Amino acid sequence: LAPRTVEPSLFSRCCLCQCSPMERMPSGIEKVPQIASLAGATLQYGTHSTGGSIQTLKWCKYDAEKRQATIQVFGGFGGTGPAGAGLWTEPPESLVWYFLINFARCCNYTYRFDFSEDYRKVDIKILGNVTGCCCFPCCPAWCVIPDCVCKFDAIQLDSSTDGSAWERRSSSCNKPMARAYDLLEVYKMNGSQGAYYDKLTGDSNVPQN
């Protein structure tokens, strides 16, 4: 949640042309009461392969008129890219993820969140430049992955009125949407404990819809 990035890695310096820390700009999501908690840190709470991952939309790009948020998930070139590094975590003990994260940066791997009018549901689109193997990180994320290939969305739980608890669903190859995990606020935007901070230690039950 820090307003400034850490020192860039060798990969960021050589491939993304980021040679120094960058200032981050608040997205404005914190000004939308129905989803303000997404400007804090949220936990992927479940037994899936990336369970325990933490992310924030505090520094994404947000278009209030379109109700649309965009984030280069692991950072990338241009846009929110360099300032986006460190806003989304994955399993730290996995060497595969070390490779995939940097590969995703070359592809400018991006999520676009399209919120419904009442902010109770969000469709999550996956974008990239599909040139990672060729290492052209300067190419923007122009390709949207079709829903028939892979689709994500999230529904805010009935108990949540501020974006602090969501049911994240996934589908692939046109299969029915299925619950993947719960997305829960564990830190508030100012760094204080969030509504589900205790989930970091697994001490309580999953919230009910």
Side-chain angles (χ1 to χ4, degrees), residues 113-125:
F113 300 83
D114 296 322
F115 291 94
S116 62
E117 289 187 14
D118 60 1
Y119 297 97
R120 303 299 300 176
K121 183 177 183 292
V122 56
D123 290 319
I124 306 170
K125 302 297 185 182

Side-chain angles (χ1 to χ4, degrees), residues 111-173:
Y111 286 157
R112 191 184 75 211
F113 300 83
D114 296 322
F115 291 94
S116 62
E117 289 187 14
D118 60 1
Y119 297 97
R120 303 299 300 176
K121 183 177 183 292
V122 56
D123 290 319
I124 306 170
K125 302 297 185 182
I126 307 169
L127 296 85
N129 63 25
V130 200
T131 64
C133 293
C134 301
C135 199
F136 293 136
C138 58
C139 183
W142 57 270
C143 178
V144 181
I145 305 301
D147 288 347
C148 62
V149 176
C150 186
K151 183 178 181 180
F152 299 155
D153 72 11
I155 299 174
Q156 194 163 180
L157 301 187
D158 292 341
S159 58
S160 171
T161 58
D162 57 0
S164 59
W166 302 75
E167 175 188 333
R168 239 287 271 121
R169 307 188 307 172
S170 300
S171 170
S172 60
C173 300

Side-chain angles (χ1 to χ4, degrees), residues 28-43:
I29 279 184
E30 72 281 359
K31 298 177 182 178
V32 184
Q34 299 94 324
I35 55 171
S37 289
L38 293 177
T42 53
L43 170 72

Side-chain angles (χ1 to χ4, degrees), residues 21 35 61 90 97 99 110 114 136 153 188:
I35 55 171
K61 284 188 174 181
E90 295 297 350
W97 272 109
F99 165 77
T110 298
D114 296 322
F136 293 136
D153 72 11
K188 295 185 180 298

Side-chain angles (χ1 to χ4, degrees), residues 22-141:
M22 296 187 65
E23 297 294 330
R24 293 168 170 156
M25 298 295 294
S27 63
I29 279 184
E30 72 281 359
K31 298 177 182 178
V32 184
Q34 299 94 324
I35 55 171
S37 289
L38 293 177
T42 53
L43 170 72
Q44 294 183 20
Y45 187 76
T47 57
H48 59 299
S49 61
T50 59
S53 296
I54 294 176
Q55 53 279 311
T56 181
L57 296 186
K58 181 178 180 178
W59 311 111
C60 70
K61 284 188 174 181
Y62 181 64
D63 187 320
E65 184 176 346
K66 294 181 179 180
R67 302 185 306 280
Q68 188 176 91
T70 306
I71 184 171
Q72 285 167 287
V73 180
F74 304 113
F77 189 94
T80 60
L87 303 184
W88 201 290
T89 72
E90 295 297 350
E93 70 281 358
S94 172
L95 294 178
V96 173
W97 272 109
Y98 290 154
F99 165 77
L100 288 177
I101 286 173
N102 284 325
F103 182 77
R105 288 171 177 163
C106 285
C107 293
N108 283 318
Y109 183 70
T110 298
Y111 286 157
R112 191 184 75 211
F113 300 83
D114 296 322
F115 291 94
S116 62
E117 289 187 14
D118 60 1
Y119 297 97
R120 303 299 300 176
K121 183 177 183 292
V122 56
D123 290 319
I124 306 170
K125 302 297 185 182
I126 307 169
L127 296 85
N129 63 25
V130 200
T131 64
C133 293
C134 301
C135 199
F136 293 136
C138 58
C139 183

